[in-house]
Amino acid sequence: MVEIELDGQKVEVAEGCMVMHAADKAGTYIPHFCYHKKLSIAANCRMCLVDVEKAPKPVPACATPVTNGMIVRTRSDKAIKAQKSVMEFLLINHPLDCPICDQGGECQLQDLAVGYGGSASRFAEEKRVVFHKDVGPLISMEEMSRCIHCTRCVRFGQEVAGIMELGMVNRGEHSEITTVAGETVDSELSGNMIDICPVGALTSKPFRYSARTWELSRRKSVSPHDSTGANLIVQVKNNRVMRVVPFENEAVNECWIADRDRFSYEALNSDERLTQPMLKQGGEWKSVDWQTALEYVANGLKQIAGHHGASSIGALVSPHSTVEELHLAGTLLRGLGSDNIDYRLRHAEFPAREGVRWLGTSIASLSQLQSVLVVGSNLRKDHPLFAQRIRQAARKGCVVSTIHHVADDWALPVAHRIVAAPGEWLQVLAAIAAAVAQEKSIVAPVQAQADAESLAVARALLAGERKAILLGNAAAHHAQASRILALAHWIGGQTGATVGYLTEAANTVGAQLVGAVPVQGGLNAAQMLAGGLKAAILLNTEPAFDSAAAGTHRLADAEMVITLSPFKANLDISDVLLPIAPFTETSGTFVNAEGRVQSFHAVVKPLGETRPAWKVLRVLANMLGLPGFDFESSQAVLEHARGADVGQAFVADGQLNNGTFAEPSLGGEPVPAPVSAAIYQLDGIVRRAASLQLTADARLAAGTLSEVHAS
C-alpha cells in the first residue's frame, strides 16, 4: 500500500493506482470527462488536472500514479486555474445549444461548466461543424458537433463490447468520431455508449426529444429478458415508460445493460397491447368485461373437467413470468387435479425433476475465470452481459473453449473452437473426457478416443484454479441434454471446474424452484403441444414463436384455449384473451441464473383494463371454488411459494445444485437440431419493440427464418 496526502487528508491505496483512484477512495470529486472506472485510461480531456507538490505543472489525476508521500491538491489556485483553462478550450467549439439540447439537465459538460466555465468567451471565431451520421435505429449521432473527443465510446467498443465500431479519424480541428467497422453500430451492448457519453453527442434515438430529464420519475426494476437479472432504472412520465437505463449492481450487471433490456420498453406502449378481455364469438373477437370473461373461463374449465377429467386441462407457461405467477398457475392446476404444467416449450428432452439446473457459480466470478468451456451457445447474442464478463476474463488471459454447431463471432478471443453438429456434441464431450482421463491416468467414463482438439480443451481445463463448464440454451434444449450434463459433471469433477447452465430466461431457475413442471406424471410441454389437452392455459407465451413445435403444434384442436398476455397474442388458436400486466405494471420476483432472488414493484399503473397475472389467477381460482387462494399481495404469494410442498425451498446464492445424474452414456436416437430464439425474438416484449426489430441482428434473424420456412 502507498500513502499519499490528498487535500490534507491521508489516503492509503494500492501501489500502481492513480491519483483519481485515491480521490475516489477519499470521497473527493475531481472533475473529469474521459475517465471512466470501467474503461482504460486515455487522459485526453485534461479536465482532471491537479496540483502535485514539486511537479512543475498540473498533472492529470487519472493518469498519474501515486507515490509514497505524494502531496496532491485538487482545489488549490493552481489546480482550479488549470481546470478552468481546460473548460475554456472545450467550450471554444462546443455549440452551446443547451436550451434545445436533448441531453440538457443530465449533461456532464453542462454541470461542470457552471463551476468551471466563464461568463463570456474570448473567442469570436466560427465554430467547427461536424455532420451528423446515421448509425442505426438505436443511437442518434445527429449532433456530433457537441463531441469533446473523450473517446469513451471508442474504448467501450474495444474493451467491453469487444468490437471497435466507433473510432476517431483525421487530426486537429478536423478530428471526429465516426463508424470505422461499418456504416452502423450493431453491437448488442451499444446503448451503453449513450450512458457514458458525457455530452449530448450520442443519445437514444427512440427517446430523443420525448421528455426532459427533470420531468421523469425514476423507479427500480429487474429485466424480464435473459437470465442475468439486470437491475434497471425505469424512467416514467405521465404513467408511461419513457426510458430504461442501468441501475449499478457490481454483482449482477455492473453498470451495463443489453440493448434488449434498454429498448424493449417500446413494446409496452405499442398498439399491440391488449387492454380489455376479449372473447371469440362466431370467429370474431369482441371486447367484454372481466366478470364475463372469467365466468366464461371458469365455466368452460368446469365443463371440460367434468366431461374429460381434470387431466385434460394443462398450462404452458413462460419462464419470463414471475415466481408468483408461475406458482399460482401450478397451484391452480393442481387444485383442479391436473399436473400438466410446463415452462420448457423449446426443450426436446424432459427428464424427471431432480435438482435445479442453474449457473453453478456466481455471475461475478465469470469475470475472474482462467479457463471456460461453453457448450451449445451463441454466447454473445444469447447472454450479452455474461459474454461481456467472459470477455473481461479473456483480456486477463482466460482460455476460452467452445463446442457449437456454428462458428459464431463472440467478439472475444476463442482459443479452442470445436464446430460439430448437435448430434455429435455428446461424442465431442466424450473425447474431452477421454483426454482428461488420459492426462490424469484414470479410467474414462465412456469409451472414446481423444484427439488433438479434445486434448487442448482438456489441458486448458486442467490448468489454473478458476474454471467453469457452461451449458448454453442449445445444450439445455438438446434431445440428449441429461447425457451432456452428466459428461460435463464428470469432466468438471476431474478438472475442478464448476458446471452449470447459462439458463435461457429471466426466471428459468425460479420456474424450477416453484415446480412449474410435471412432478407426478403429468404431460410435458411436447405432449401438450402435440394435442394432449382439451383445455389449454397459455401464460405469457406464444407457441408459434416460443416452442420447439412452432409451426406444428396442435393447440387449436383443444376445446378451449385461454391466453393470458399483455399483448394481442395467439389470436388464431385462442378462445379467450385476458390482458395481464407486463413487468412494469406488476410487482413480482425473478430468480436469475445464479439463484439470486430479486423482487420488484410496479413502476406504472396497469394500462386500460390490464390486471397483474397473479391477481387474475387468484380470482379465477376463487371462481372455481379452489381453497387457499386468499392472497392480498404478491409478497404473500412469494412467501407461500417458499413453503409450498411442490416447490423446492428457496436457498441462498451458491447453494443450489444441478442434481444427481446417472453415469454418462453414448448412443441413442438421432438428434434433432435444438431450437433457440434469436436475440430479439426471445420473448413477447422484445418481439414487439419497434426499434430493436430494425437492427441488423433482427433483420438477419428474419432472413434466416424466411429461408427455413422456404426450405
Side-chain angles (χ1 to χ4, degrees), residues 617-701:
L617 292 166
R618 180 199 65 189
V619 173
L620 182 58
N622 292 336
M623 296 178 75
L624 289 167
L626 301 179
F629 284 82
D630 53 355
F631 307 105
E632 294 297 325
S633 66
S634 62
Q635 184 63 34
V637 181
L638 179 63
E639 291 305 318
H640 187 266
R642 289 177 182 270
D645 292 336
V646 72
Q648 300 188 8
F650 281 72
V651 292
D653 295 352
Q655 294 181 331
L656 296 171
N657 67 83
N658 271 306
T660 56
F661 298 89
E663 288 295 314
S665 61
L666 300 180
E669 297 296 320
V671 178
V675 176
S676 293
I679 182 170
Y680 299 135
Q681 291 291 322
L682 183 61
D683 59 75
I685 298 178
V686 169
R687 282 194 287 269
R688 292 171 173 84
S691 296
L692 290 178
Q693 296 309 316
L694 295 174
T695 60
D697 278 324
R699 295 197 306 271
L700 178 63

Side-chain angles (χ1 to χ4, degrees), residues 160-503:
V160 180
I163 175 169
M164 184 179 170
E165 294 182 291
L166 294 179
M168 185 178 289
V169 297
N170 303 325
R171 303 186 69 181
E173 71 170 2
H174 301 292
S175 298
E176 61 178 293
I177 299 292
T178 186
T179 50
V180 295
E183 294 184 355
T184 57
V185 174
D186 299 318
S187 166
E188 61 285 347
L189 298 172
S190 65
N192 294 291
M193 295 180 186
I194 299 167
D195 293 335
I196 62 176
C197 180
V199 295
L202 303 181
T203 54
S204 168
K205 189 171 281 190
F207 173 71
R208 182 175 166 83
Y209 290 130
S210 61
R212 290 293 193 179
T213 181
W214 54 83
E215 300 175 312
L216 301 173
S217 300
R218 291 159 176 79
R219 295 157 189 175
K220 295 180 185 178
S221 192
V222 178
S223 169
H225 305 305
D226 64 36
S227 59
T228 309
N231 291 197
L232 310 176
I233 294 290
V234 181
Q235 300 184 345
V236 176
K237 177 185 176 183
N238 296 334
N239 202 49
R240 181 184 175 99
V241 175
M242 303 300 292
R243 183 167 61 172
V244 175
V245 295
F247 179 76
E248 187 170 348
N249 186 335
E250 280 297 310
V252 181
N253 57 296
E254 300 176 87
C255 56
W256 317 120
I257 54 175
D259 284 353
R260 63 183 168 204
D261 301 327
R262 183 184 301 273
F263 297 106
S264 65
Y265 73 88
E266 285 187 293
L268 306 176
N269 306 319
S270 72
D271 293 337
E272 292 194 52
R273 281 296 302 272
L274 178 66
T275 58
Q276 286 183 285
M278 301 183 78
L279 294 180
K280 187 184 285 183
Q281 296 177 342
E284 294 185 3
W285 286 102
K286 296 185 178 179
S287 298
V288 297
D289 57 58
W290 271 105
Q291 185 69 23
T292 302
L294 290 175
E295 284 180 356
Y296 180 88
V297 171
N299 292 335
L301 291 177
K302 287 176 182 177
Q303 289 177 10
I304 290 170
H307 293 158
H308 304 286
S311 60
S312 66
I313 302 172
L316 292 164
V317 297
S318 169
H320 299 278
S321 299
T322 66
V323 164
E324 293 82 354
E325 294 163 0
L326 295 173
H327 173 65
L328 285 188
T331 307
L332 186 152
L333 273 173
R334 293 182 175 107
L336 288 172
S338 172
D339 190 40
N340 305 331
I341 182 170
D342 209 341
Y343 74 92
R344 301 167 295 180
L345 276 75
R346 294 191 177 103
H347 287 230
E349 184 201 51
F350 302 91
R353 188 162 170 267
E354 192 171 298
V356 176
R357 299 188 175 186
W358 68 296
L359 188 61
T361 185
S362 68
I363 291 174
S365 70
L366 298 180
S367 303
Q368 306 301 323
L369 290 175
Q370 295 172 319
S371 180
V372 60
L373 169 62
V374 182
V375 182
S377 175
N378 181 357
L379 185 67
R380 177 181 165 191
K381 302 301 182 182
D382 291 348
H383 301 90
L385 293 175
F386 290 169
Q388 185 273 135
R389 285 193 178 269
I390 291 175
R391 189 173 294 119
Q392 303 315 308
R395 287 171 60 84
K396 293 179 281 191
C398 175
V399 179
V400 181
S401 309
T402 173
I403 302 169
H404 201 29
H405 67 279
V406 290
D408 298 308
D409 178 12
W410 289 2
L412 60 84
V414 177
H416 310 296
R417 187 187 298 276
I418 301 177
V419 179
E424 298 171 3
W425 291 354
L426 206 57
Q427 284 73 20
V428 172
L429 278 173
I432 293 172
V436 170
Q438 178 180 315
E439 290 292 300
K440 296 187 68 174
S441 300
I442 58 176
V443 178
V446 291
Q447 291 295 321
Q449 187 67 40
D451 55 18
E453 284 182 324
S454 57
L455 270 171
V457 174
R459 286 167 180 162
L461 287 173
L462 286 165
E465 297 178 358
R466 300 183 298 276
K467 42 213 172 180
I469 300 173
L470 302 174
L471 306 179
N473 296 349
H477 303 159
H478 202 281
Q480 297 173 324
S482 291
R483 295 181 187 179
I484 288 173
L485 181 56
L487 265 177
H489 266 298
W490 188 91
I491 296 169
Q494 295 300 323
T495 60
T498 62
V499 178
Y501 281 92
L502 294 167
T503 74

